Short mmCIF file of all heavy atoms in Angstrom, two decimals:
data_model
loop_
_atom_site.label_atom_id
_atom_site.label_comp_id
_atom_site.label_asym_id
_atom_site.label_seq_id
_atom_site.Cartn_x
_atom_site.Cartn_y
_atom_site.Cartn_z
N VAL A 1 -28.61 27.56 -100.50
CA VAL A 1 -27.83 26.41 -100.99
C VAL A 1 -26.39 26.49 -100.50
O VAL A 1 -25.62 25.53 -100.68
CB VAL A 1 -27.88 26.29 -102.52
CG1 VAL A 1 -29.30 25.96 -102.97
CG2 VAL A 1 -27.37 27.57 -103.20
N ALA A 2 -26.00 27.61 -99.96
CA ALA A 2 -24.65 27.78 -99.33
C ALA A 2 -24.82 28.78 -98.22
O ALA A 2 -25.46 29.85 -98.42
CB ALA A 2 -23.62 28.23 -100.36
N SER A 3 -24.30 28.48 -97.07
CA SER A 3 -24.47 29.37 -95.91
C SER A 3 -23.12 30.01 -95.54
O SER A 3 -22.07 29.72 -96.12
CB SER A 3 -24.99 28.57 -94.73
OG SER A 3 -23.94 27.77 -94.16
N ALA A 4 -23.19 30.92 -94.55
CA ALA A 4 -21.98 31.56 -94.07
C ALA A 4 -21.45 30.91 -92.81
O ALA A 4 -20.66 31.50 -92.06
CB ALA A 4 -22.26 33.05 -93.81
N GLN A 5 -21.84 29.65 -92.57
CA GLN A 5 -21.39 28.93 -91.38
C GLN A 5 -19.91 28.57 -91.51
O GLN A 5 -19.32 28.60 -92.57
CB GLN A 5 -22.22 27.66 -91.20
CG GLN A 5 -23.71 27.91 -91.01
CD GLN A 5 -24.00 28.77 -89.79
OE1 GLN A 5 -23.60 28.44 -88.66
NE2 GLN A 5 -24.65 29.89 -89.99
N SER A 6 -19.30 28.20 -90.36
CA SER A 6 -17.86 27.93 -90.33
C SER A 6 -17.46 26.73 -91.18
O SER A 6 -16.32 26.63 -91.59
CB SER A 6 -17.40 27.72 -88.89
OG SER A 6 -18.07 26.62 -88.30
N ASN A 7 -18.40 25.78 -91.42
CA ASN A 7 -18.06 24.62 -92.23
C ASN A 7 -18.71 24.72 -93.61
O ASN A 7 -18.96 23.70 -94.27
CB ASN A 7 -18.54 23.33 -91.55
CG ASN A 7 -20.05 23.28 -91.37
OD1 ASN A 7 -20.74 24.28 -91.58
ND2 ASN A 7 -20.57 22.12 -91.01
N ASP A 8 -18.95 25.96 -94.05
CA ASP A 8 -19.62 26.16 -95.34
C ASP A 8 -18.99 27.36 -96.05
O ASP A 8 -17.89 27.81 -95.72
CB ASP A 8 -21.10 26.36 -95.11
CG ASP A 8 -21.98 25.97 -96.31
OD1 ASP A 8 -21.42 25.77 -97.40
OD2 ASP A 8 -23.20 25.88 -96.16
N PHE A 9 -19.71 27.86 -97.02
CA PHE A 9 -19.21 28.95 -97.85
C PHE A 9 -19.10 30.22 -97.03
O PHE A 9 -19.63 30.36 -95.91
CB PHE A 9 -20.21 29.14 -99.01
CG PHE A 9 -19.67 29.86 -100.20
CD1 PHE A 9 -18.46 29.47 -100.78
CD2 PHE A 9 -20.34 30.90 -100.80
CE1 PHE A 9 -17.96 30.10 -101.88
CE2 PHE A 9 -19.85 31.56 -101.90
CZ PHE A 9 -18.67 31.15 -102.46
N SER A 10 -18.47 31.24 -97.57
CA SER A 10 -18.26 32.50 -96.84
C SER A 10 -19.42 33.47 -97.03
O SER A 10 -19.48 34.51 -96.37
CB SER A 10 -16.96 33.16 -97.30
OG SER A 10 -16.98 33.36 -98.71
N SER A 11 -20.34 33.17 -97.97
CA SER A 11 -21.49 34.03 -98.24
C SER A 11 -22.72 33.15 -98.34
O SER A 11 -22.65 31.94 -98.51
CB SER A 11 -21.28 34.79 -99.57
OG SER A 11 -20.08 35.54 -99.55
N VAL A 12 -23.88 33.83 -98.23
CA VAL A 12 -25.14 33.11 -98.42
C VAL A 12 -25.50 33.11 -99.91
O VAL A 12 -25.50 34.14 -100.55
CB VAL A 12 -26.26 33.80 -97.61
CG1 VAL A 12 -27.62 33.15 -97.92
CG2 VAL A 12 -25.96 33.72 -96.12
N VAL A 13 -25.76 31.93 -100.43
CA VAL A 13 -26.16 31.80 -101.83
C VAL A 13 -27.58 31.24 -101.89
O VAL A 13 -27.89 30.24 -101.21
CB VAL A 13 -25.20 30.85 -102.59
CG1 VAL A 13 -25.59 30.77 -104.08
CG2 VAL A 13 -23.76 31.33 -102.46
N LEU A 14 -28.40 31.90 -102.67
CA LEU A 14 -29.82 31.51 -102.80
C LEU A 14 -30.08 30.94 -104.17
O LEU A 14 -29.47 31.36 -105.16
CB LEU A 14 -30.71 32.74 -102.58
CG LEU A 14 -30.49 33.54 -101.30
CD1 LEU A 14 -31.38 34.79 -101.31
CD2 LEU A 14 -30.79 32.70 -100.09
N GLN A 15 -31.00 29.99 -104.24
CA GLN A 15 -31.34 29.39 -105.52
C GLN A 15 -32.84 29.02 -105.53
O GLN A 15 -33.39 28.62 -104.53
CB GLN A 15 -30.47 28.16 -105.79
CG GLN A 15 -30.40 27.75 -107.25
CD GLN A 15 -29.27 26.76 -107.52
OE1 GLN A 15 -28.16 26.92 -106.99
NE2 GLN A 15 -29.55 25.75 -108.31
N GLN A 16 -33.44 29.18 -106.68
CA GLN A 16 -34.84 28.80 -106.89
C GLN A 16 -34.87 27.67 -107.94
O GLN A 16 -35.07 27.93 -109.12
CB GLN A 16 -35.70 29.96 -107.37
CG GLN A 16 -35.92 31.05 -106.31
CD GLN A 16 -36.72 32.21 -106.89
OE1 GLN A 16 -36.42 32.74 -107.94
NE2 GLN A 16 -37.75 32.60 -106.15
N GLY A 17 -34.64 26.44 -107.53
CA GLY A 17 -34.63 25.35 -108.48
C GLY A 17 -33.45 25.45 -109.43
O GLY A 17 -32.45 26.13 -109.14
N ASN A 18 -33.56 24.79 -110.59
CA ASN A 18 -32.46 24.74 -111.54
C ASN A 18 -32.74 25.45 -112.82
O ASN A 18 -32.04 25.28 -113.83
CB ASN A 18 -32.07 23.29 -111.84
CG ASN A 18 -31.05 22.75 -110.85
OD1 ASN A 18 -30.45 23.53 -110.12
ND2 ASN A 18 -30.88 21.44 -110.79
N ALA A 19 -33.81 26.28 -112.85
CA ALA A 19 -34.08 27.06 -114.06
C ALA A 19 -32.95 28.07 -114.27
O ALA A 19 -32.28 28.50 -113.31
CB ALA A 19 -35.40 27.77 -113.92
N PRO A 20 -32.66 28.44 -115.53
CA PRO A 20 -31.58 29.43 -115.76
C PRO A 20 -31.81 30.73 -114.98
O PRO A 20 -32.94 31.13 -114.72
CB PRO A 20 -31.68 29.66 -117.27
CG PRO A 20 -32.30 28.40 -117.82
CD PRO A 20 -33.26 27.96 -116.76
N PHE A 21 -30.72 31.35 -114.57
CA PHE A 21 -30.70 32.65 -113.90
C PHE A 21 -31.40 32.59 -112.54
O PHE A 21 -31.95 33.58 -112.08
CB PHE A 21 -31.36 33.72 -114.77
CG PHE A 21 -30.70 33.95 -116.09
CD1 PHE A 21 -31.23 33.40 -117.24
CD2 PHE A 21 -29.55 34.70 -116.20
CE1 PHE A 21 -30.62 33.57 -118.47
CE2 PHE A 21 -28.93 34.91 -117.43
CZ PHE A 21 -29.45 34.33 -118.57
N SER A 22 -31.32 31.45 -111.86
CA SER A 22 -32.07 31.27 -110.62
C SER A 22 -31.20 31.28 -109.37
O SER A 22 -31.67 30.88 -108.31
CB SER A 22 -32.88 29.95 -110.66
OG SER A 22 -33.94 30.04 -111.58
N GLY A 23 -29.94 31.72 -109.48
CA GLY A 23 -29.08 31.78 -108.31
C GLY A 23 -28.54 33.18 -108.08
O GLY A 23 -28.37 33.97 -109.03
N ILE A 24 -28.29 33.53 -106.81
CA ILE A 24 -27.73 34.84 -106.50
C ILE A 24 -27.08 34.82 -105.11
O ILE A 24 -27.51 34.04 -104.24
CB ILE A 24 -28.82 35.94 -106.56
CG1 ILE A 24 -28.21 37.33 -106.77
CG2 ILE A 24 -29.74 35.91 -105.33
CD1 ILE A 24 -29.18 38.37 -107.25
N ILE A 25 -26.07 35.63 -104.92
CA ILE A 25 -25.39 35.78 -103.61
C ILE A 25 -26.08 36.91 -102.86
O ILE A 25 -26.43 37.94 -103.43
CB ILE A 25 -23.90 36.11 -103.83
CG1 ILE A 25 -23.20 34.88 -104.46
CG2 ILE A 25 -23.24 36.42 -102.48
CD1 ILE A 25 -21.77 35.15 -104.85
N ALA A 26 -26.31 36.71 -101.56
CA ALA A 26 -27.04 37.68 -100.75
C ALA A 26 -26.31 37.99 -99.45
O ALA A 26 -25.71 37.11 -98.85
CB ALA A 26 -28.45 37.15 -100.44
N PHE A 27 -26.41 39.25 -99.05
CA PHE A 27 -25.77 39.70 -97.80
C PHE A 27 -26.86 40.36 -96.94
O PHE A 27 -27.67 41.14 -97.45
CB PHE A 27 -24.65 40.69 -98.10
CG PHE A 27 -23.51 40.09 -98.84
CD1 PHE A 27 -23.47 40.12 -100.24
CD2 PHE A 27 -22.48 39.48 -98.18
CE1 PHE A 27 -22.45 39.56 -100.94
CE2 PHE A 27 -21.42 38.91 -98.86
CZ PHE A 27 -21.40 38.94 -100.26
N PRO A 28 -26.86 40.08 -95.64
CA PRO A 28 -27.95 40.61 -94.78
C PRO A 28 -27.84 42.10 -94.57
O PRO A 28 -26.79 42.71 -94.72
CB PRO A 28 -27.73 39.85 -93.46
CG PRO A 28 -26.25 39.53 -93.46
CD PRO A 28 -25.89 39.28 -94.90
N GLY A 29 -28.99 42.67 -94.17
CA GLY A 29 -29.02 44.06 -93.76
C GLY A 29 -28.96 44.16 -92.23
O GLY A 29 -28.66 43.17 -91.54
N LEU A 30 -29.26 45.33 -91.71
CA LEU A 30 -29.25 45.53 -90.27
C LEU A 30 -30.36 44.71 -89.62
O LEU A 30 -31.45 44.55 -90.19
CB LEU A 30 -29.40 47.01 -89.94
CG LEU A 30 -28.29 47.93 -90.43
CD1 LEU A 30 -28.64 49.39 -90.17
CD2 LEU A 30 -26.98 47.58 -89.74
N ASN A 31 -30.09 44.23 -88.45
CA ASN A 31 -31.10 43.47 -87.67
C ASN A 31 -31.66 42.31 -88.49
O ASN A 31 -32.87 42.05 -88.50
CB ASN A 31 -32.23 44.40 -87.20
CG ASN A 31 -31.73 45.55 -86.38
OD1 ASN A 31 -30.89 45.40 -85.51
ND2 ASN A 31 -32.22 46.76 -86.68
N ASN A 32 -30.77 41.64 -89.19
CA ASN A 32 -31.18 40.52 -90.04
C ASN A 32 -30.31 39.34 -89.73
O ASN A 32 -29.09 39.46 -89.56
CB ASN A 32 -31.03 40.96 -91.51
CG ASN A 32 -31.66 39.97 -92.48
OD1 ASN A 32 -31.28 38.83 -92.52
ND2 ASN A 32 -32.66 40.44 -93.20
N ASP A 33 -30.91 38.14 -89.65
CA ASP A 33 -30.14 36.96 -89.29
C ASP A 33 -29.83 36.06 -90.48
O ASP A 33 -29.56 34.87 -90.33
CB ASP A 33 -30.88 36.16 -88.22
CG ASP A 33 -32.21 35.62 -88.71
OD1 ASP A 33 -32.62 35.94 -89.83
OD2 ASP A 33 -32.85 34.81 -87.97
N LEU A 34 -29.85 36.65 -91.68
CA LEU A 34 -29.62 35.82 -92.89
C LEU A 34 -28.30 35.08 -92.83
O LEU A 34 -28.22 33.93 -93.25
CB LEU A 34 -29.66 36.74 -94.11
CG LEU A 34 -29.45 36.07 -95.49
CD1 LEU A 34 -30.56 35.06 -95.74
CD2 LEU A 34 -29.39 37.12 -96.58
N ASP A 35 -27.25 35.69 -92.26
CA ASP A 35 -25.94 35.05 -92.25
C ASP A 35 -25.85 33.93 -91.19
O ASP A 35 -24.84 33.25 -91.12
CB ASP A 35 -24.83 36.07 -92.02
CG ASP A 35 -25.02 36.91 -90.77
OD1 ASP A 35 -26.13 36.85 -90.19
OD2 ASP A 35 -24.08 37.61 -90.37
N THR A 36 -26.88 33.73 -90.40
CA THR A 36 -26.89 32.63 -89.43
C THR A 36 -27.71 31.45 -89.93
O THR A 36 -27.72 30.41 -89.28
CB THR A 36 -27.47 33.08 -88.06
OG1 THR A 36 -28.89 33.32 -88.21
CG2 THR A 36 -26.78 34.34 -87.59
N ARG A 37 -28.36 31.59 -91.05
CA ARG A 37 -29.25 30.57 -91.57
C ARG A 37 -28.43 29.44 -92.19
O ARG A 37 -27.25 29.59 -92.53
CB ARG A 37 -30.22 31.13 -92.56
CG ARG A 37 -31.28 32.03 -91.95
CD ARG A 37 -32.16 31.26 -91.00
NE ARG A 37 -32.98 32.10 -90.14
CZ ARG A 37 -33.70 31.63 -89.15
NH1 ARG A 37 -33.69 30.34 -88.88
NH2 ARG A 37 -34.45 32.43 -88.40
N LEU A 38 -29.10 28.28 -92.35
CA LEU A 38 -28.40 27.08 -92.81
C LEU A 38 -28.87 26.67 -94.20
O LEU A 38 -29.92 27.10 -94.69
CB LEU A 38 -28.67 25.92 -91.83
CG LEU A 38 -28.35 26.19 -90.36
CD1 LEU A 38 -28.77 24.99 -89.53
CD2 LEU A 38 -26.87 26.51 -90.18
#
């Protein structure tokens, strides 16, 4: 729901719908393209 792209947030934010406790900030590991995703 938020990416690390230049026109977006500085971190990747993940969400599973709108149920409580369903969002979290994530950072990629080695050999991972999570920070390039949209």
Side-chain angles (χ1 to χ4, degrees):
V1 295
S3 75
Q5 299 300 304
S6 61
N7 64 348
D8 206 347
F9 201 50
S10 56
S11 304
V12 174
V13 182
L14 307 174
Q15 200 166 317
Q16 291 178 310
N18 272 345
F21 300 101
S22 290
I24 201 163
I25 295 174
F27 296 91
L30 296 175
N31 303 316
N32 191 298
D33 64 353
L34 181 62
D35 56 348
T36 70
R37 290 296 167 188
L38 306 176

